[in-house]
Amino acid sequence: MNETACCCGPGYASPAEAMQAPREKLLYTIAIYTGTGIQKPDYLCTIDADPESPNYSQVISRLEMPGIGDELHHMGWNACSSCHGDASKERRYLIVPGVRSSNLHIVDCGDDPRNPKLHKVVDGDEIKRKTNLSAPHTVHCLGSDIIISMLGDARGNAPGGYLHLNEDFEILGRWEESMGDIKFGYDFWYQPRHNIMVSSEWAAPNTFMPGFDLEEVGHLKYGRELHFWDFEKKEPVQTFYLGEDGLIPLEVRFHHNPDSTHGFCCAALSANIIHWWKDDDGEWQWEKVIDVGNEPHPDWPIPVPGVISDILLSMDDRFLYLNNWLHGDIRQYDISDPHNPKLTGQVWMGGLLGKAPEVNGVKVTGGPQMTQLSLDGKRLYVTTSLFSTWDNQFYPEIRTNGGCMLKVDCDPENGGMEIDPDFVVDFGKEPNGPSRCHETRYPGGDCTSDIWI
């Protein structure tokens, strides 16, 4: 990318320009001690991703949070490509929420990107008091403001709502005008040119935080709906009931192309990919386009579901990547025709099926969970922790072994995937004991943080 590509403001003028950006050399990755029995704060790791560096694939700095038990989970930038063209904006601050504490840690990555510093903390109790919201999850930049999906009310009951912060990280209140009949919250993504936002459902914090109970799915304590919002009016206008095809719909992703109406959601427990789009009559439609079958396991009374816990789209909207957290495979699909995805790559990383190899002497505990793709579509970074109580339930050895990050090399021209044997970040060997790794961001933006207006 030439030096003028980012001159107007943060991010890039288009997804095509983003694909020409310099290679990522630093990764910011969440690491948690919550749920491990180690009484230390969760922290933000900086990982060296420069293959020319002597510290390649090593943690080079650790920023501890002020308290213990935050359960850091998902994070987002204060500014993204939706601010492109505004020279007063800078992609400088990471908002790093604690799901359990509801604290928002504002991390300054600007002065020294290799050693981020804590800028301020928005207190979770203040958020509860002012907005009756708790359990922050997805963070999106909204021009100069920030909105965060909150999964519960102050007492941990559903449906929660959306927290609205200004650019100085001050609480403005709740973003939404109404939650309508929405039962649960989780992820969201918006496509401004179509005045639409889509949100998905997990469960109330009081339900998912203690661990997973299959009976609670039958008791309708987990989501199975997608919600379409009038983005300008800030209220839901249409709901898709996904039924058995859409049990626990988690991550939602629109095409990066801001003119497109196509998007995808992973239904975790059903192990399906749901595709939505606007038809020629201007009506929103949905369909199931990928179905991962359950697999038998000698220690399970029922076949093991894949549990698709994360998806993302390449910046050119050509490939969809998904993780089967319990099966242990990472898949690449060509979605050039979004109605008919074609499997083009598959690799194995941990999981319960025993199909994954060791990587550079490291046996992966857990399964492929969170992913982040390079802007050029060539490198996929994958971590293993889902949520502390769920980790302990399905992968109890993760307490002593810790999590890990691998890099998968991807072919963005012909399709195909291969694990890089030379890149392994073993969080089982952290200075304070084994920790677990979750979401990853890059200083220059990535495939799940930028939205174009």
Side-chain angles (χ1 to χ4, degrees), residues 302-339:
I302 59 173
V304 178
V307 179
I308 304 178
S309 54
D310 189 33
I311 59 169
L312 59 72
L313 307 185
S314 61
M315 194 58 74
D316 59 2
D317 297 325
R318 182 178 170 193
F319 291 103
L320 178 149
Y321 293 86
L322 66 82
N323 287 342
N324 285 303
W325 185 59
L326 291 187
H327 285 180
D329 59 319
I330 308 158
R331 299 188 185 189
Q332 176 197 62
Y333 287 84
D334 187 326
I335 53 168
S336 300
D337 177 358
H339 300 281

Side-chain angles (χ1 to χ4, degrees), residues 6 12 43 61 82 172 211 254 353 376 408 438:
C6 289
Y12 308 94
Y43 55 107
S61 70
S82 65
L172 298 180
F254 265 109
L353 303 184
D376 62 9
V408 180
H438 195 67

Side-chain angles (χ1 to χ4, degrees), residues 96-115:
V96 186
V99 179
R100 292 185 183 273
S101 66
S102 297
N103 295 329
L104 304 177
H105 308 90
I106 314 302
V107 175
D108 186 350
C109 304
D111 287 337
D112 183 359
R114 297 175 67 86
N115 293 281

Side-chain angles (χ1 to χ4, degrees), residues 68-380:
I68 292 175
D70 282 303
E71 184 111 6
L72 304 181
H73 196 59
H74 288 206
M75 54 185 167
W77 291 103
N78 67 307
C80 75
S81 291
S82 65
C83 304
H84 185 75
D86 186 344
S88 69
K89 301 293 186 295
E90 181 183 4
R91 195 197 312 257
R92 175 172 183 148
Y93 297 99
L94 267 177
I95 298 94
V96 186
V99 179
R100 292 185 183 273
S101 66
S102 297
N103 295 329
L104 304 177
H105 308 90
I106 314 302
V107 175
D108 186 350
C109 304
D111 287 337
D112 183 359
R114 297 175 67 86
N115 293 281
K117 303 299 180 186
L118 187 64
H119 173 66
K120 68 179 289 188
V121 176
V122 182
D123 184 69
D125 289 336
E126 180 185 5
I127 294 170
K128 293 176 184 178
R129 187 174 65 251
K130 290 184 175 179
T131 66
N132 189 33
L133 292 172
S134 71
H137 193 269
T138 302
V139 179
H140 274 308
C141 154
L142 180 63
S144 61
D145 293 352
I146 297 152
I147 49 178
I148 303 172
S149 61
M150 308 289 288
L151 306 192
D153 65 14
R155 295 185 177 184
N157 298 315
Y162 293 83
L163 177 66
H164 190 186
L165 304 179
N166 66 15
E167 60 185 337
D168 296 317
F169 313 108
E170 297 166 333
I171 298 171
L172 298 180
R174 294 176 72 133
W175 172 81
E176 81 280 0
E177 293 294 332
S178 169
M179 289 294 287
D181 296 324
I182 290 176
K183 301 177 184 67
F184 307 104
Y186 185 68
D187 195 22
F188 71 102
W189 195 287
Y190 59 97
Q191 197 72 311
R193 294 186 187 180
H194 297 279
N195 187 34
I196 201 74
M197 182 175 96
V198 175
S199 68
S200 60
E201 298 186 331
W202 191 6
N206 290 339
T207 298
F208 70 76
M209 283 190 181
F212 179 68
D213 183 345
L214 184 60
E215 287 189 1
E216 291 186 318
V217 177
H219 294 158
L220 304 182
K221 290 189 175 183
Y222 281 88
R224 54 186 73 190
E225 295 181 336
L226 285 179
H227 306 284
F228 286 66
W229 296 63
D230 184 309
F231 190 56
E232 293 178 356
K233 293 182 178 179
K234 305 177 183 178
E235 60 186 22
V237 293
Q238 187 174 1
T239 290
F240 287 148
Y241 176 72
L242 306 176
E244 297 298 308
D245 283 335
L247 298 177
I248 316 184
L250 295 182
E251 308 295 332
V252 291
R253 308 282 186 246
F254 265 109
H255 271 171
H256 296 286
N257 175 4
D259 290 324
S260 174
T261 66
H262 293 274
F264 299 85
C265 174
C266 59
L269 188 58
S270 302
N272 295 328
I273 299 297
I274 304 298
H275 165 231
W276 73 77
W277 74 100
K278 186 189 287 185
D279 66 18
D280 292 340
D281 296 323
E283 300 294 327
W284 292 97
Q285 306 288 348
W286 73 274
E287 63 185 349
K288 177 178 69 175
V289 291
I290 297 171
D291 185 353
V292 176
N294 297 352
E295 294 283 347
H297 191 285
D299 298 330
W300 277 54
I302 59 173
V304 178
V307 179
I308 304 178
S309 54
D310 189 33
I311 59 169
L312 59 72
L313 307 185
S314 61
M315 194 58 74
D316 59 2
D317 297 325
R318 182 178 170 193
F319 291 103
L320 178 149
Y321 293 86
L322 66 82
N323 287 342
N324 285 303
W325 185 59
L326 291 187
H327 285 180
D329 59 319
I330 308 158
R331 299 188 185 189
Q332 176 197 62
Y333 287 84
D334 187 326
I335 53 168
S336 300
D337 177 358
H339 300 281
N340 295 287
K342 305 296 184 185
L343 181 64
T344 50
Q346 182 180 32
V347 294
W348 294 87
M349 176 183 179
L352 296 176
L353 303 184
K355 297 183 179 181
E358 289 189 359
V359 181
N360 205 357
V362 176
K363 181 180 179 181
V364 176
T365 305
Q369 211 287 307
M370 291 304 295
T371 50
Q372 194 52 264
L373 185 67
S374 61
L375 292 171
D376 62 9
K378 295 180 180 179
R379 294 166 299 283
L380 186 75

